[in-house]
Amino acid sequence: IGGAVELPTLVNIIAQEIGRPVIDETGLKGRYDFAVNGNVTKDTLPTVLHEQLGLTLEPTTAAFE
């Protein structure tokens, strides 16, 4: 995905890929190097994020502007 990426940037990339809003609830600050191995599709993205980056997408209902 990239080097020296802040979580809000990663969240925006994920939201664009899945076509839904994504809310960052990690509380992580700073910049991170992310690399995802293999061919990632909209259907496989949640699994890849969990298995390779330790991040979980959880469906929820939230109010936002």
Side-chain angles (χ1 to χ4, degrees), residues 8-33:
T9 302
L10 178 62
V11 167
N12 287 334
I13 293 168
I14 294 169
Q16 288 176 2
E17 290 298 318
I18 65 172
R20 298 183 68 178
V22 176
I23 300 168
D24 174 16
E25 294 184 347
T26 64
L28 298 172
K29 304 292 182 204
R31 295 178 178 270
Y32 299 87
D33 294 333

Side-chain angles (χ1 to χ4, degrees), residues 19 40 62:
V40 180

Side-chain angles (χ1 to χ4, degrees), residues 1 3 13 15 19 23 35 44 46 50 55 59 62-63:
I1 292 175
I13 293 168
I23 300 168
T44 63
H50 182 71
L55 300 173

